[in-house]
Amino acid sequence: MARYRLRFLLQEFDLPRGATILGRSSDCHVTIEDPLVSRHHARIVLEGDRAVVYDLNSRNGVKVNGAAVKDPVELKDGDRLRIGTQELVFCRVEAAPNASAKTTGFLRHCARCRMPYPQEAGACPSCGATEALDEETLSGQFGAAAQQIWSVQLFLEVLDRALNLERFEDVHRILRRATVQVEERIVRGDAIDAPQLAKLALGAARASLAGQDPTWAVWVAQVYRRVPIVMPEEVVAKLAELVARFPADMADPVEQLAAHVRSVPSSPHDGPAIAAIERIRAQALPHARAAASAKPALS
């Protein structure tokens, strides 16, 4: 009878007959330290020559070969399972497993390069470091060390799904994590992916408009003031909606954004967006002046 394994980086986990639970909790058969993995995320059931994966109502879902798992999915040799930001490969092996192979495992994240690796390896196979991030840093906080682990693209996929389902508690949680990651990249001077930033800004704008909360609207204007990127037209269009909805809150951020745009190197392609930002600034200017005049004079 064939045997089955899950392959992750340099390690393989033998799948025993019956159920194997994958998740962030230490009581899972395969424990994965990843903030986007639920405590009990997925179950693989092996009966006879069939292996079936179930999503255990996880917060961010399970994907097999890029397709979201809604109903139980039978796995085939070479199938790729996406759980959180991690990808595991389902393997069919005819030969007897190595005696040293483990049926459970614990994955760590390197404190130097942030890559995940099996705990049994002792050191990160990518950079050789032995120091790992602790669970609290990974699962509960939004410190700089954890940000490299999260995939912006995965955040965007989850954010879009949460917005479409109007799960605003999830929306705000995802935005907090994703925007902190962007802020950390800006502080470090790392390159910012313009299309991904635009998608994140559009998601933040949708969240503000849907929740009648200017917090993310202000962030949209402010983040483009801190990067050498001209806000694209699709985001500018949302900016106009945000200013119309939150004129008093958006007046100063838009004024500062317009001043920044004038100093950013631009191309002719950016001309329509720059002109639109100037028009929005002119519309918001009366609110900025009103807010300034309302401030008490210093004695």
Side-chain angles (χ1 to χ4, degrees):
M1 183 177 293
R3 295 180 180 271
Y4 298 91
R5 295 178 181 175
L6 285 178
R7 180 184 302 144
F8 181 86
L9 295 179
L10 301 180
Q11 191 171 25
E12 292 185 354
F13 307 101
D14 288 323
L15 291 173
R17 300 292 154 180
T20 298
I21 306 298
L22 299 86
R24 202 176 72 241
S25 174
S26 60
D27 63 9
C28 292
H29 298 94
V30 177
T31 303
I32 303 175
E33 283 191 79
D34 185 319
L36 295 186
V37 172
S38 298
R39 289 183 59 80
H40 297 92
H41 198 106
R43 179 174 67 245
I44 297 177
V45 177
L46 184 59
E47 294 181 351
D49 278 339
R50 296 181 69 248
V52 179
V53 62
Y54 301 77
D55 182 0
L56 299 179
N57 296 315
S58 62
R59 183 178 294 273
N60 294 312
V62 177
K63 288 186 176 180
V64 175
N65 300 326
V69 172
K70 297 180 180 178
D71 300 314
V73 173
E74 183 172 352
L75 297 173
K76 302 182 298 296
D77 183 42
D79 280 351
R80 296 181 177 274
L81 283 73
R82 169 73 68 165
I83 297 176
T85 62
Q86 316 303 330
E87 187 170 82
L88 301 93
V89 180
F90 176 77
C91 306
R92 176 186 173 105
V93 289
E94 300 295 343
N98 187 297
S100 62
K102 296 179 65 64
T103 58
T104 63
F106 201 82
L107 307 178
R108 311 171 76 196
H109 283 87
C110 176
R112 180 188 296 172
C113 71
R114 315 301 190 251
M115 288 296 294
Y117 66 93
Q119 178 174 271
E120 290 74 12
C124 174
S126 298
C127 69
T130 58
E131 184 181 357
L133 300 175
D134 58 36
E135 184 177 359
E136 181 181 359
T137 301
L138 284 167
S139 61
Q141 304 296 326
F142 307 138
Q147 307 313 319
Q148 290 288 346
I149 299 169
W150 294 320
S151 162
V152 173
Q153 184 58 43
L154 180 60
F155 271 129
L156 293 172
E157 293 175 7
V158 176
L159 176 61
D160 186 62
R161 184 163 68 244
L163 283 165
N164 290 336
L165 295 173
E166 299 184 350
R167 293 168 51 177
F168 294 112
E169 182 178 347
D170 288 343
V171 167
H172 293 299
R173 176 182 55 81
I174 296 163
L175 281 172
R176 283 194 297 269
R177 294 186 175 185
T179 55
V180 166
Q181 183 174 356
V182 171
E183 295 292 335
E184 291 291 340
R185 291 188 64 83
I186 293 173
V187 169
R188 289 194 303 270
D190 294 344
I192 301 297
D193 185 273
Q196 286 190 343
L197 180 60
K199 290 179 181 179
L200 183 58
L202 290 171
R206 286 177 61 190
S208 267
L209 293 169
Q212 297 292 319
D213 182 349
T215 301
W216 297 117
V218 172
W219 180 83
V220 170
Q222 290 178 337
V223 72
Y224 275 97
R225 185 168 57 86
R226 302 178 58 207
V227 295
I229 301 171
V230 175
M231 183 181 284
E233 289 185 80
E234 57 182 346
V235 181
V236 175
K238 279 295 180 185
L239 182 68
E241 292 184 46
L242 296 171
V243 170
R245 184 72 60 86
F246 312 109
D249 297 282
M250 295 297 293
D252 282 344
V254 169
E255 178 71 24
Q256 295 164 2
L257 174 64
H260 172 70
V261 166
R262 300 185 198 111
S263 66
V264 174
S266 60
S267 66
H269 177 75
D270 298 319
I274 295 173
I277 291 173
E278 286 293 342
R279 289 194 296 271
I280 295 170
R281 183 198 68 84
Q283 295 169 2
L285 189 58
H287 298 283
R289 290 173 176 168
S293 62
K295 294 179 180 178
L298 295 177
S299 58

